[in-house]
């Protein structure tokens, strides 16, 4: 399967977070839902993200979640799910890797496989991403 590499950026909105269990201890858990908009190789006006966040301290921790993307990859239309894992540090930097959930591609994106990632810094409104993918 040939691999295509693409880039772009996303913006996020509607970050909604709720504690899971006690709020005044560490480590602690939270549940977050987020909406993203992608431009570039991945184009999607509005995605749906669902994360579980583990706070080791008030400003450090990790997260895992899923993101449903309905849109286009390099002009091919369909939908797919990304499984995401990341960490964040006290300096406000977030590192995340993601992978297409096998079998989740629909439409012209059926058979989509791929991996990617991003690094963002607190206060950025546009976050650059990379994505390497192939279609079976």
């Amino acid at each position: 399967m040939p691999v295509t590499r693409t880039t772009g950026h996303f913006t996020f909105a509607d970050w909604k977070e709720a504690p899971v269990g006690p709020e005044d201890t560490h480590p602690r858990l939270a549940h977050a839902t987020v909406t993203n908009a992608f431009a570039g190789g991945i184009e999607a006006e509005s995605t749906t993200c669902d994360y579980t966040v583990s706070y080791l301290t008030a400003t450090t921790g990790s997260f895992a979640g899923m993101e449903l993307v309905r849109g286009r990859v390099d002009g091919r239309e369909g939908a797919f799910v990304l499984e995401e894992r990341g960490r964040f540090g006290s300096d406000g930097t977030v590192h995340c890797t993601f992978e297409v959930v096998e079998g989740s591609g629909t439409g012209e994106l059926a058979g989509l496989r791929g991996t990617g990632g991003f690094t963002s810094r607190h206060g950025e409104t546009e976050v650059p991403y990379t994505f390497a993918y192939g279609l079976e």
Side-chain angles (χ1 to χ4, degrees):
M1 170 178 69
V3 174
T4 301
R5 298 184 188 288
T6 192
T7 62
H9 69 272
F10 68 90
T11 57
F12 61 92
D14 299 326
W15 182 280
K16 294 177 184 158
E17 188 171 312
V20 177
E23 291 184 63
D24 56 354
T25 64
H26 289 95
R28 69 179 177 86
L29 295 178
H31 179 255
T33 57
V34 184
T35 302
N36 289 323
F38 280 81
I42 300 173
E43 297 177 51
E45 291 182 24
S46 180
T47 68
T48 304
C49 302
D50 191 70
Y51 295 116
T52 298
V53 184
S54 168
Y55 286 94
L56 303 177
T57 70
T59 58
T60 64
S62 64
F63 61 92
M66 300 287 203
E67 182 166 13
L68 175 60
V69 180
R70 294 186 189 280
R72 289 166 296 289
V73 175
D74 287 336
R76 294 179 184 91
E77 194 162 341
F80 58 97
V81 175
L82 294 174
E83 182 176 0
E84 302 176 1
R85 294 183 142 304
R87 66 188 191 290
F88 51 95
S90 59
D91 65 353
T93 302
V94 176
H95 301 278
C96 179
T97 58
F98 54 81
E99 181 173 359
V100 175
V101 173
E102 187 173 345
S104 67
T106 66
E108 295 175 310
L109 298 174
L112 179 69
R113 291 180 177 249
T115 60
F118 65 85
T119 298
S120 69
R121 287 164 189 75
H122 185 71
E124 285 184 333
T125 56
E126 290 188 352
V127 178
Y129 67 83
T130 61
F131 185 48
Y133 72 93
L135 290 165
E136 294 183 340

